[in-house]
């Protein structure tokens, strides 16, 4: 793991490997163009010039609506849920056994060109070959393009307009709205029944989580991410998902974060520093999962672990209503069933 006093690239690399979090507030933006109504949510054909103001405050422009889109895998998965398909992806797309990574959502990864699967990997030659008309990615730190390598960033950005959307420094509903704004600008019918049904399910799940938190006010949740040598405890208010859960009333452990302000690193000998009734564990392929921690005695002795109150945390949500509603439902269910063990 990198030291947090190193360059922004190293900090972003550390966020990619565990406990990705951020600070601040989302910026406003807009998309334009006519839309057609359908029940499927598939993109409608649009004509004329296209523009979209992203969360950097920059406006991407094209003579027509971009068709050859390349996106960070999680953003590509969100656009797919709105009926917008991409030509290429980068970021964690395939696991070691060739199966879709958790961040791929419902995207058929066999139908897209994978430009890079790990941090620092982005095949510029393949990107050029796709004749890209738009590059879209997430943003965890201001103006830093997620999984776009700094060493090749300038070359990449010369090839097509780019859009960056906050994955931190926002909340889940705001992030979903921004992804929906982008999808709409690209031709998605955001009033399609599939989309409105998913939004209704999300709102129902949010109400359920609020009620669960209110009914179990003493249940405390720890946000964790594991590596071989360290256990990271994240500060809830610095990440889009957990900040939103906090707004809904969920009580979180508040670690003594390091100078960067994102999380606290604990040795495995000190993993019991904080009392918690539920542990939410980073579900990304870059983090060790609970079944890989059985050899660590201190982990096995944690009250929440002994009580079976460890649940996955979708650290990098796919920002569509369809994918975020189950996240809220899962946490609500865990809180509803949780016993006070701390």
């Amino acid at each position: 793991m990198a030291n947090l006093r190193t360059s922004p690239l190293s900090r972003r690399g550390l966020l990619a490997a565990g406990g990705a979090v951020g600070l601040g507030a989302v910026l406003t933006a807009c998309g334009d163009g006519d839309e057609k109504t359908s029940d499927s949510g598939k993109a409608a054909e649009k004509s004329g010039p296209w523009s979209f103001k992203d969360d950097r405050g920059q406006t991407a422009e094209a003579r027509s609506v971009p068709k050859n889109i390349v996106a960070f895998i999680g953003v590509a998965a969100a656009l797919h849920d709105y009926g917008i398909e991409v030509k290429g992806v980068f970021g964690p797309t395939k696991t070691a056994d060739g199966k879709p990574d958790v961040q791929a959502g419902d995207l058929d990864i066999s139908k897209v060109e994978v430009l890079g699967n790990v941090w620092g990997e982005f095949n510029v030659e393949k990107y050029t070959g796709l004749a890209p008309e738009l590059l879209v990615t997430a943003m965890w730190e201001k103006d830093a393009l997620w999984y776009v390598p700094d060493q090749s960033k300038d070359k990449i950005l010369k090839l097509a307009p780019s859009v960056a959307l906050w994955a931190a420094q926002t909340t889940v509903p705001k992030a979903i709205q921004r992804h929906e704004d982008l999808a709409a600008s690209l031709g998605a019918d955001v009033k399609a029944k599939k989309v409105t049904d998913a939004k209704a399910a999300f709102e129902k799940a949010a109400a359920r989580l609020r009620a669960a938190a209110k009914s179990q006010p003493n249940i405390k949740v720890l946000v964790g991410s594991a590596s071989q040598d360290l256990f990271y405890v994240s500060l809830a208010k610095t990440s889009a998902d957990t900040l939103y859960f906090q707004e809904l009333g969920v009580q979180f452990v508040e670690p003594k974060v390091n100078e960067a302000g994102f999380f606290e690193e604990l040795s495995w000998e000190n993993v019991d520093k904080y009392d918690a009734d539920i542990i939410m564990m980073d579900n990304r392929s870059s983090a060790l999962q609970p079944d890989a921690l059985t050899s660590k005695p201190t982990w096995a002795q944690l009250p929440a672990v002994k009580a079976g109150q460890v649940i996955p945390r979708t650290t990098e949500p796919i920002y569509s209503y369809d994918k975020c509603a189950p996240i809220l439902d899962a946490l609500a269910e865990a809180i509803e069933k949780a016993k006070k063990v701390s």
Side-chain angles (χ1 to χ4, degrees), residues 91-136:
T93 303
K94 298 179 181 179
T95 59
D97 58 6
K99 295 180 179 179
D101 188 272
V102 65
Q103 294 189 62
D106 293 335
L107 194 66
D108 185 345
I109 62 173
S110 70
K111 294 183 178 180
V112 293
E113 185 76 55
V114 180
L115 306 180
N117 197 58
V118 297
W119 182 258
E121 184 179 86
F122 190 111
N123 191 313
V124 180
E125 185 177 352
K126 284 186 178 180
Y127 180 59
T128 304
L130 291 173
E133 297 172 331
L134 179 65
L135 177 76
V136 191

mmCIF file of all heavy atoms in Angstrom, residues 91-136:
data_model
loop_
_atom_site.group_PDB
_atom_site.id
_atom_site.type_symbol
_atom_site.label_atom_id
_atom_site.label_comp_id
_atom_site.label_asym_id
_atom_site.label_seq_id
_atom_site.Cartn_x
_atom_site.Cartn_y
_atom_site.Cartn_z
ATOM 1 N N GLY A 91 -10.832 -0.223 -16.382
ATOM 2 C CA GLY A 91 -11.103 -0.444 -14.970
ATOM 3 C C GLY A 91 -11.467 -1.892 -14.736
ATOM 4 O O GLY A 91 -11.540 -2.683 -15.672
ATOM 5 N N PRO A 92 -11.694 -2.295 -13.465
ATOM 6 C CA PRO A 92 -11.915 -3.707 -13.119
ATOM 7 C C PRO A 92 -13.129 -4.302 -13.840
ATOM 8 O O PRO A 92 -14.266 -4.086 -13.445
ATOM 9 C CB PRO A 92 -12.141 -3.657 -11.605
ATOM 10 C CG PRO A 92 -11.498 -2.392 -11.164
ATOM 11 C CD PRO A 92 -11.706 -1.426 -12.286
ATOM 12 N N THR A 93 -12.863 -5.055 -14.900
ATOM 13 C CA THR A 93 -13.916 -5.597 -15.761
ATOM 14 C C THR A 93 -14.043 -7.107 -15.638
ATOM 15 O O THR A 93 -15.146 -7.645 -15.611
ATOM 16 C CB THR A 93 -13.635 -5.227 -17.237
ATOM 17 O OG1 THR A 93 -13.527 -3.798 -17.350
ATOM 18 C CG2 THR A 93 -14.734 -5.717 -18.155
ATOM 19 N N LYS A 94 -12.897 -7.796 -15.539
ATOM 20 C CA LYS A 94 -12.887 -9.256 -15.428
ATOM 21 C C LYS A 94 -12.128 -9.679 -14.185
ATOM 22 O O LYS A 94 -11.109 -9.087 -13.833
ATOM 23 C CB LYS A 94 -12.209 -9.882 -16.651
ATOM 24 C CG LYS A 94 -12.886 -9.611 -17.980
ATOM 25 C CD LYS A 94 -12.105 -10.270 -19.111
ATOM 26 C CE LYS A 94 -12.744 -9.987 -20.469
ATOM 27 N NZ LYS A 94 -11.975 -10.617 -21.573
ATOM 28 N N THR A 95 -12.618 -10.729 -13.520
ATOM 29 C CA THR A 95 -11.894 -11.303 -12.398
ATOM 30 C C THR A 95 -10.830 -12.251 -12.935
ATOM 31 O O THR A 95 -10.738 -12.501 -14.140
ATOM 32 C CB THR A 95 -12.857 -12.052 -11.467
ATOM 33 O OG1 THR A 95 -13.525 -13.085 -12.214
ATOM 34 C CG2 THR A 95 -13.903 -11.109 -10.901
ATOM 35 N N ALA A 96 -10.037 -12.803 -12.034
ATOM 36 C CA ALA A 96 -8.936 -13.671 -12.449
ATOM 37 C C ALA A 96 -9.410 -14.885 -13.234
ATOM 38 O O ALA A 96 -8.698 -15.407 -14.091
ATOM 39 C CB ALA A 96 -8.143 -14.121 -11.214
ATOM 40 N N ASP A 97 -10.634 -15.342 -12.974
ATOM 41 C CA ASP A 97 -11.165 -16.504 -13.689
ATOM 42 C C ASP A 97 -11.937 -16.122 -14.950
ATOM 43 O O ASP A 97 -12.595 -16.963 -15.568
ATOM 44 C CB ASP A 97 -12.052 -17.354 -12.769
ATOM 45 C CG ASP A 97 -13.218 -16.576 -12.179
ATOM 46 O OD1 ASP A 97 -13.408 -15.398 -12.567
ATOM 47 O OD2 ASP A 97 -13.930 -17.129 -11.330
ATOM 48 N N GLY A 98 -11.858 -14.853 -15.331
ATOM 49 C CA GLY A 98 -12.479 -14.403 -16.575
ATOM 50 C C GLY A 98 -13.938 -14.009 -16.462
ATOM 51 O O GLY A 98 -14.552 -13.602 -17.457
ATOM 52 N N LYS A 99 -14.511 -14.100 -15.266
ATOM 53 C CA LYS A 99 -15.906 -13.728 -15.075
ATOM 54 C C LYS A 99 -16.032 -12.215 -14.915
ATOM 55 O O LYS A 99 -15.065 -11.534 -14.586
ATOM 56 C CB LYS A 99 -16.470 -14.446 -13.846
ATOM 57 C CG LYS A 99 -16.543 -15.950 -13.992
ATOM 58 C CD LYS A 99 -17.118 -16.590 -12.736
ATOM 59 C CE LYS A 99 -17.211 -18.108 -12.884
ATOM 60 N NZ LYS A 99 -17.744 -18.765 -11.665
ATOM 61 N N PRO A 100 -17.236 -11.670 -15.146
ATOM 62 C CA PRO A 100 -17.418 -10.225 -14.984
ATOM 63 C C PRO A 100 -17.143 -9.779 -13.552
ATOM 64 O O PRO A 100 -17.579 -10.419 -12.595
ATOM 65 C CB PRO A 100 -18.889 -10.006 -15.358
ATOM 66 C CG PRO A 100 -19.246 -11.175 -16.218
ATOM 67 C CD PRO A 100 -18.457 -12.324 -15.672
ATOM 68 N N ASP A 101 -16.411 -8.695 -13.405
ATOM 69 C CA ASP A 101 -16.177 -8.102 -12.097
ATOM 70 C C ASP A 101 -17.493 -7.552 -11.557
ATOM 71 O O ASP A 101 -18.416 -7.242 -12.323
ATOM 72 C CB ASP A 101 -15.150 -6.982 -12.225
ATOM 73 C CG ASP A 101 -14.698 -6.431 -10.882
ATOM 74 O OD1 ASP A 101 -15.357 -5.507 -10.362
ATOM 75 O OD2 ASP A 101 -13.691 -6.925 -10.356
ATOM 76 N N VAL A 102 -17.567 -7.396 -10.251
ATOM 77 C CA VAL A 102 -18.785 -6.881 -9.626
ATOM 78 C C VAL A 102 -19.150 -5.503 -10.171
ATOM 79 O O VAL A 102 -20.332 -5.134 -10.219
ATOM 80 C CB VAL A 102 -18.617 -6.838 -8.087
ATOM 81 C CG1 VAL A 102 -17.539 -5.849 -7.670
ATOM 82 C CG2 VAL A 102 -19.934 -6.503 -7.401
ATOM 83 N N GLN A 103 -18.154 -4.746 -10.630
ATOM 84 C CA GLN A 103 -18.429 -3.399 -11.123
ATOM 85 C C GLN A 103 -18.995 -3.382 -12.541
ATOM 86 O O GLN A 103 -19.360 -2.323 -13.053
ATOM 87 C CB GLN A 103 -17.153 -2.557 -11.059
ATOM 88 C CG GLN A 103 -16.683 -2.318 -9.638
ATOM 89 C CD GLN A 103 -15.561 -1.321 -9.548
ATOM 90 O OE1 GLN A 103 -15.718 -0.159 -9.917
ATOM 91 N NE2 GLN A 103 -14.417 -1.748 -9.051
ATOM 92 N N ALA A 104 -19.082 -4.551 -13.187
ATOM 93 C CA ALA A 104 -19.608 -4.617 -14.554
ATOM 94 C C ALA A 104 -21.130 -4.635 -14.589
ATOM 95 O O ALA A 104 -21.725 -4.410 -15.652
ATOM 96 C CB ALA A 104 -19.056 -5.845 -15.275
ATOM 97 N N GLY A 105 -21.782 -4.897 -13.472
ATOM 98 C CA GLY A 105 -23.239 -4.919 -13.445
ATOM 99 C C GLY A 105 -23.823 -5.890 -14.445
ATOM 100 O O GLY A 105 -23.391 -7.041 -14.526
ATOM 101 N N ASP A 106 -24.792 -5.432 -15.235
ATOM 102 C CA ASP A 106 -25.439 -6.269 -16.255
ATOM 103 C C ASP A 106 -24.776 -6.147 -17.623
ATOM 104 O O ASP A 106 -25.273 -6.709 -18.603
ATOM 105 C CB ASP A 106 -26.920 -5.883 -16.388
ATOM 106 C CG ASP A 106 -27.722 -6.230 -15.149
ATOM 107 O OD1 ASP A 106 -27.308 -7.154 -14.416
ATOM 108 O OD2 ASP A 106 -28.745 -5.564 -14.900
ATOM 109 N N LEU A 107 -23.678 -5.430 -17.689
ATOM 110 C CA LEU A 107 -22.995 -5.234 -18.965
ATOM 111 C C LEU A 107 -22.425 -6.555 -19.475
ATOM 112 O O LEU A 107 -21.811 -7.313 -18.732
ATOM 113 C CB LEU A 107 -21.865 -4.225 -18.778
ATOM 114 C CG LEU A 107 -21.227 -3.625 -20.025
ATOM 115 C CD1 LEU A 107 -22.220 -2.764 -20.776
ATOM 116 C CD2 LEU A 107 -20.003 -2.797 -19.634
ATOM 117 N N ASP A 108 -22.639 -6.840 -20.757
ATOM 118 C CA ASP A 108 -22.066 -8.033 -21.392
ATOM 119 C C ASP A 108 -20.632 -7.687 -21.782
ATOM 120 O O ASP A 108 -20.391 -7.034 -22.801
ATOM 121 C CB ASP A 108 -22.881 -8.428 -22.625
ATOM 122 C CG ASP A 108 -22.416 -9.732 -23.248
ATOM 123 O OD1 ASP A 108 -21.301 -10.195 -22.919
ATOM 124 O OD2 ASP A 108 -23.161 -10.292 -24.083
ATOM 125 N N ILE A 109 -19.682 -8.129 -20.974
ATOM 126 C CA ILE A 109 -18.297 -7.710 -21.197
ATOM 127 C C ILE A 109 -17.683 -8.365 -22.434
ATOM 128 O O ILE A 109 -16.622 -7.933 -22.899
ATOM 129 C CB ILE A 109 -17.422 -7.984 -19.954
ATOM 130 C CG1 ILE A 109 -17.359 -9.479 -19.636
ATOM 131 C CG2 ILE A 109 -17.925 -7.182 -18.769
ATOM 132 C CD1 ILE A 109 -16.378 -9.809 -18.520
ATOM 133 N N SER A 110 -18.359 -9.366 -22.995
ATOM 134 C CA SER A 110 -17.851 -9.989 -24.222
ATOM 135 C C SER A 110 -18.109 -9.105 -25.443
ATOM 136 O O SER A 110 -17.560 -9.352 -26.520
ATOM 137 C CB SER A 110 -18.497 -11.362 -24.432
ATOM 138 O OG SER A 110 -19.875 -11.239 -24.771
ATOM 139 N N LYS A 111 -18.940 -8.093 -25.271
ATOM 140 C CA LYS A 111 -19.310 -7.236 -26.399
ATOM 141 C C LYS A 111 -18.619 -5.872 -26.374
ATOM 142 O O LYS A 111 -18.954 -4.998 -27.162
ATOM 143 C CB LYS A 111 -20.828 -7.044 -26.419
ATOM 144 C CG LYS A 111 -21.594 -8.335 -26.709
ATOM 145 C CD LYS A 111 -23.093 -8.083 -26.779
ATOM 146 C CE LYS A 111 -23.849 -9.359 -27.119
ATOM 147 N NZ LYS A 111 -25.320 -9.139 -27.188
ATOM 148 N N VAL A 112 -17.672 -5.713 -25.465
ATOM 149 C CA VAL A 112 -16.941 -4.443 -25.394
ATOM 150 C C VAL A 112 -15.442 -4.709 -25.447
ATOM 151 O O VAL A 112 -14.973 -5.782 -25.061
ATOM 152 C CB VAL A 112 -17.287 -3.654 -24.106
ATOM 153 C CG1 VAL A 112 -18.730 -3.191 -24.118
ATOM 154 C CG2 VAL A 112 -17.004 -4.489 -22.854
ATOM 155 N N GLU A 113 -14.710 -3.725 -25.923
ATOM 156 C CA GLU A 113 -13.242 -3.804 -25.942
ATOM 157 C C GLU A 113 -12.735 -3.384 -24.565
ATOM 158 O O GLU A 113 -13.074 -2.314 -24.065
ATOM 159 C CB GLU A 113 -12.683 -2.859 -26.998
ATOM 160 C CG GLU A 113 -11.185 -2.945 -27.185
ATOM 161 C CD GLU A 113 -10.761 -4.170 -27.975
ATOM 162 O OE1 GLU A 113 -11.257 -4.353 -29.104
ATOM 163 O OE2 GLU A 113 -9.940 -4.939 -27.439
ATOM 164 N N VAL A 114 -11.942 -4.248 -23.947
ATOM 165 C CA VAL A 114 -11.400 -3.950 -22.618
ATOM 166 C C VAL A 114 -10.016 -3.317 -22.796
ATOM 167 O O VAL A 114 -9.072 -3.984 -23.240
ATOM 168 C CB VAL A 114 -11.313 -5.205 -21.744
ATOM 169 C CG1 VAL A 114 -10.753 -4.857 -20.365
ATOM 170 C CG2 VAL A 114 -12.689 -5.861 -21.606
ATOM 171 N N LEU A 115 -9.897 -2.054 -22.456
ATOM 172 C CA LEU A 115 -8.652 -1.313 -22.659
ATOM 173 C C LEU A 115 -7.688 -1.442 -21.498
ATOM 174 O O LEU A 115 -6.497 -1.160 -21.632
ATOM 175 C CB LEU A 115 -8.962 0.167 -22.901
ATOM 176 C CG LEU A 115 -9.954 0.480 -24.028
ATOM 177 C CD1 LEU A 115 -10.150 1.978 -24.146
ATOM 178 C CD2 LEU A 115 -9.464 -0.095 -25.349
ATOM 179 N N GLY A 116 -8.200 -1.846 -20.359
ATOM 180 C CA GLY A 116 -7.369 -2.005 -19.170
ATOM 181 C C GLY A 116 -8.207 -2.596 -18.065
ATOM 182 O O GLY A 116 -9.374 -2.230 -17.914
ATOM 183 N N ASN A 117 -7.632 -3.514 -17.305
ATOM 184 C CA ASN A 117 -8.398 -4.220 -16.281
ATOM 185 C C ASN A 117 -7.926 -3.911 -14.863
ATOM 186 O O ASN A 117 -8.615 -4.224 -13.906
ATOM 187 C CB ASN A 117 -8.318 -5.727 -16.537
ATOM 188 C CG ASN A 117 -9.387 -6.517 -15.815
ATOM 189 O OD1 ASN A 117 -10.579 -6.276 -16.007
ATOM 190 N ND2 ASN A 117 -8.973 -7.444 -14.969
ATOM 191 N N VAL A 118 -6.756 -3.275 -14.763
ATOM 192 C CA VAL A 118 -6.198 -2.973 -13.446
ATOM 193 C C VAL A 118 -5.734 -1.528 -13.412
ATOM 194 O O VAL A 118 -5.631 -0.856 -14.442
ATOM 195 C CB VAL A 118 -5.013 -3.907 -13.099
ATOM 196 C CG1 VAL A 118 -5.479 -5.355 -13.026
ATOM 197 C CG2 VAL A 118 -3.889 -3.761 -14.120
ATOM 198 N N TRP A 119 -5.408 -1.057 -12.220
ATOM 199 C CA TRP A 119 -4.949 0.316 -12.034
ATOM 200 C C TRP A 119 -3.684 0.556 -12.851
ATOM 201 O O TRP A 119 -2.752 -0.232 -12.845
ATOM 202 C CB TRP A 119 -4.670 0.559 -10.554
ATOM 203 C CG TRP A 119 -4.239 1.960 -10.260
ATOM 204 C CD1 TRP A 119 -2.965 2.396 -10.026
ATOM 205 C CD2 TRP A 119 -5.075 3.117 -10.159
ATOM 206 N NE1 TRP A 119 -2.953 3.747 -9.788
ATOM 207 C CE2 TRP A 119 -4.238 4.210 -9.861
ATOM 208 C CE3 TRP A 119 -6.450 3.321 -10.291
ATOM 209 C CZ2 TRP A 119 -4.735 5.500 -9.695
ATOM 210 C CZ3 TRP A 119 -6.949 4.603 -10.119
ATOM 211 C CH2 TRP A 119 -6.100 5.683 -9.822
ATOM 212 N N GLY A 120 -3.644 1.660 -13.588
ATOM 213 C CA GLY A 120 -2.476 2.022 -14.380
ATOM 214 C C GLY A 120 -2.454 1.431 -15.774
ATOM 215 O O GLY A 120 -1.531 1.711 -16.544
ATOM 216 N N GLU A 121 -3.456 0.645 -16.123
ATOM 217 C CA GLU A 121 -3.498 -0.020 -17.428
ATOM 218 C C GLU A 121 -4.550 0.622 -18.319
ATOM 219 O O GLU A 121 -5.733 0.642 -17.973
ATOM 220 C CB GLU A 121 -3.811 -1.505 -17.215
ATOM 221 C CG GLU A 121 -3.787 -2.359 -18.471
ATOM 222 C CD GLU A 121 -4.081 -3.815 -18.160
ATOM 223 O OE1 GLU A 121 -5.279 -4.183 -18.102
ATOM 224 O OE2 GLU A 121 -3.139 -4.582 -17.943
ATOM 225 N N PHE A 122 -4.129 1.139 -19.470
ATOM 226 C CA PHE A 122 -5.046 1.744 -20.441
ATOM 227 C C PHE A 122 -4.359 1.666 -21.803
ATOM 228 O O PHE A 122 -3.384 2.371 -22.060
ATOM 229 C CB PHE A 122 -5.348 3.201 -20.065
ATOM 230 C CG PHE A 122 -6.463 3.828 -20.852
ATOM 231 C CD1 PHE A 122 -7.674 4.137 -20.251
ATOM 232 C CD2 PHE A 122 -6.304 4.138 -22.201
ATOM 233 C CE1 PHE A 122 -8.706 4.730 -20.969
ATOM 234 C CE2 PHE A 122 -7.330 4.729 -22.930
ATOM 235 C CZ PHE A 122 -8.528 5.024 -22.314
ATOM 236 N N ASN A 123 -4.871 0.822 -22.687
ATOM 237 C CA ASN A 123 -4.251 0.605 -23.987
ATOM 238 C C ASN A 123 -4.648 1.729 -24.948
ATOM 239 O O ASN A 123 -5.750 1.730 -25.504
ATOM 240 C CB ASN A 123 -4.666 -0.752 -24.553
ATOM 241 C CG ASN A 123 -3.859 -1.159 -25.760
ATOM 242 O OD1 ASN A 123 -3.652 -0.368 -26.676
ATOM 243 N ND2 ASN A 123 -3.387 -2.402 -25.774
ATOM 244 N N VAL A 124 -3.735 2.689 -25.136
ATOM 245 C CA VAL A 124 -4.026 3.861 -25.964
ATOM 246 C C VAL A 124 -4.203 3.463 -27.425
ATOM 247 O O VAL A 124 -5.035 4.030 -28.141
ATOM 248 C CB VAL A 124 -2.914 4.914 -25.814
ATOM 249 C CG1 VAL A 124 -3.222 6.136 -26.678
ATOM 250 C CG2 VAL A 124 -2.764 5.334 -24.354
ATOM 251 N N GLU A 125 -3.441 2.473 -27.876
ATOM 252 C CA GLU A 125 -3.557 2.025 -29.270
ATOM 253 C C GLU A 125 -4.948 1.449 -29.541
ATOM 254 O O GLU A 125 -5.582 1.765 -30.557
ATOM 255 C CB GLU A 125 -2.487 0.977 -29.575
ATOM 256 C CG GLU A 125 -2.450 0.537 -31.036
ATOM 257 C CD GLU A 125 -1.336 -0.438 -31.327
ATOM 258 O OE1 GLU A 125 -0.499 -0.671 -30.436
ATOM 259 O OE2 GLU A 125 -1.298 -0.978 -32.456
ATOM 260 N N LYS A 126 -5.446 0.613 -28.639
ATOM 261 C CA LYS A 126 -6.798 0.064 -28.792
ATOM 262 C C LYS A 126 -7.842 1.176 -28.718
ATOM 263 O O LYS A 126 -8.838 1.160 -29.442
ATOM 264 C CB LYS A 126 -7.083 -0.983 -27.710
ATOM 265 C CG LYS A 126 -6.424 -2.326 -27.934
ATOM 266 C CD LYS A 126 -6.890 -3.316 -26.878
ATOM 267 C CE LYS A 126 -6.301 -4.690 -27.098
ATOM 268 N NZ LYS A 126 -6.756 -5.657 -26.062
ATOM 269 N N TYR A 127 -7.608 2.126 -27.824
ATOM 270 C CA TYR A 127 -8.526 3.255 -27.682
ATOM 271 C C TYR A 127 -8.623 4.037 -28.985
ATOM 272 O O TYR A 127 -9.716 4.347 -29.477
ATOM 273 C CB TYR A 127 -8.048 4.149 -26.541
ATOM 274 C CG TYR A 127 -8.905 5.377 -26.284
ATOM 275 C CD1 TYR A 127 -10.257 5.248 -25.969
ATOM 276 C CD2 TYR A 127 -8.354 6.655 -26.338
ATOM 277 C CE1 TYR A 127 -11.035 6.377 -25.709
ATOM 278 C CE2 TYR A 127 -9.120 7.779 -26.072
ATOM 279 C CZ TYR A 127 -10.459 7.636 -25.769
ATOM 280 O OH TYR A 127 -11.239 8.747 -25.518
ATOM 281 N N THR A 128 -7.475 4.321 -29.568
ATOM 282 C CA THR A 128 -7.438 5.036 -30.846
ATOM 283 C C THR A 128 -8.181 4.266 -31.927
ATOM 284 O O THR A 128 -8.928 4.836 -32.734
ATOM 285 C CB THR A 128 -5.981 5.271 -31.285
ATOM 286 O OG1 THR A 128 -5.276 5.966 -30.258
ATOM 287 C CG2 THR A 128 -5.928 6.072 -32.577
ATOM 288 N N GLY A 129 -8.004 2.938 -31.941
ATOM 289 C CA GLY A 129 -8.647 2.090 -32.937
ATOM 290 C C GLY A 129 -10.154 2.087 -32.860
ATOM 291 O O GLY A 129 -10.842 1.759 -33.844
ATOM 292 N N LEU A 130 -10.704 2.451 -31.715
ATOM 293 C CA LEU A 130 -12.160 2.508 -31.560
ATOM 294 C C LEU A 130 -12.757 3.788 -32.133
ATOM 295 O O LEU A 130 -13.979 3.943 -32.156
ATOM 296 C CB LEU A 130 -12.536 2.390 -30.074
ATOM 297 C CG LEU A 130 -12.285 1.035 -29.401
ATOM 298 C CD1 LEU A 130 -12.552 1.125 -27.900
ATOM 299 C CD2 LEU A 130 -13.157 -0.048 -30.023
ATOM 300 N N ALA A 131 -11.897 4.698 -32.590
ATOM 301 C CA ALA A 131 -12.351 6.006 -33.095
ATOM 302 C C ALA A 131 -13.293 6.655 -32.078
ATOM 303 O O ALA A 131 -14.449 6.979 -32.385
ATOM 304 C CB ALA A 131 -13.055 5.851 -34.442
ATOM 305 N N PRO A 132 -12.819 6.854 -30.851
ATOM 306 C CA PRO A 132 -13.702 7.325 -29.768
ATOM 307 C C PRO A 132 -14.273 8.710 -30.029
ATOM 308 O O PRO A 132 -13.587 9.595 -30.557
ATOM 309 C CB PRO A 132 -12.771 7.338 -28.553
ATOM 310 C CG PRO A 132 -11.399 7.550 -29.137
ATOM 311 C CD PRO A 132 -11.411 6.783 -30.426
ATOM 312 N N GLU A 133 -15.530 8.865 -29.664
ATOM 313 C CA GLU A 133 -16.203 10.161 -29.764
ATOM 314 C C GLU A 133 -16.470 10.764 -28.387
ATOM 315 O O GLU A 133 -16.814 11.936 -28.281
ATOM 316 C CB GLU A 133 -17.518 9.999 -30.532
ATOM 317 C CG GLU A 133 -17.310 9.541 -31.964
ATOM 318 C CD GLU A 133 -18.611 9.198 -32.666
ATOM 319 O OE1 GLU A 133 -19.582 8.782 -31.984
ATOM 320 O OE2 GLU A 133 -18.650 9.335 -33.897
ATOM 321 N N LEU A 134 -16.317 9.939 -27.335
ATOM 322 C CA LEU A 134 -16.523 10.420 -25.969
ATOM 323 C C LEU A 134 -15.861 9.470 -24.983
ATOM 324 O O LEU A 134 -15.986 8.255 -25.104
ATOM 325 C CB LEU A 134 -18.021 10.514 -25.655
ATOM 326 C CG LEU A 134 -18.387 10.974 -24.239
ATOM 327 C CD1 LEU A 134 -17.936 12.421 -24.004
ATOM 328 C CD2 LEU A 134 -19.895 10.847 -23.987
ATOM 329 N N LEU A 135 -15.163 10.033 -24.007
ATOM 330 C CA LEU A 135 -14.583 9.288 -22.890
ATOM 331 C C LEU A 135 -15.306 9.703 -21.622
ATOM 332 O O LEU A 135 -15.445 10.900 -21.351
ATOM 333 C CB LEU A 135 -13.094 9.600 -22.759
ATOM 334 C CG LEU A 135 -12.370 8.946 -21.581
ATOM 335 C CD1 LEU A 135 -12.107 7.476 -21.877
ATOM 336 C CD2 LEU A 135 -11.056 9.666 -21.273
ATOM 337 N N VAL A 136 -15.794 8.728 -20.851
ATOM 338 C CA VAL A 136 -16.513 9.031 -19.617
ATOM 339 C C VAL A 136 -15.899 8.252 -18.465
ATOM 340 O O VAL A 136 -15.631 7.051 -18.590
ATOM 341 C CB VAL A 136 -18.008 8.655 -19.712
ATOM 342 C CG1 VAL A 136 -18.764 9.224 -18.517
ATOM 343 C CG2 VAL A 136 -18.615 9.147 -21.018
#
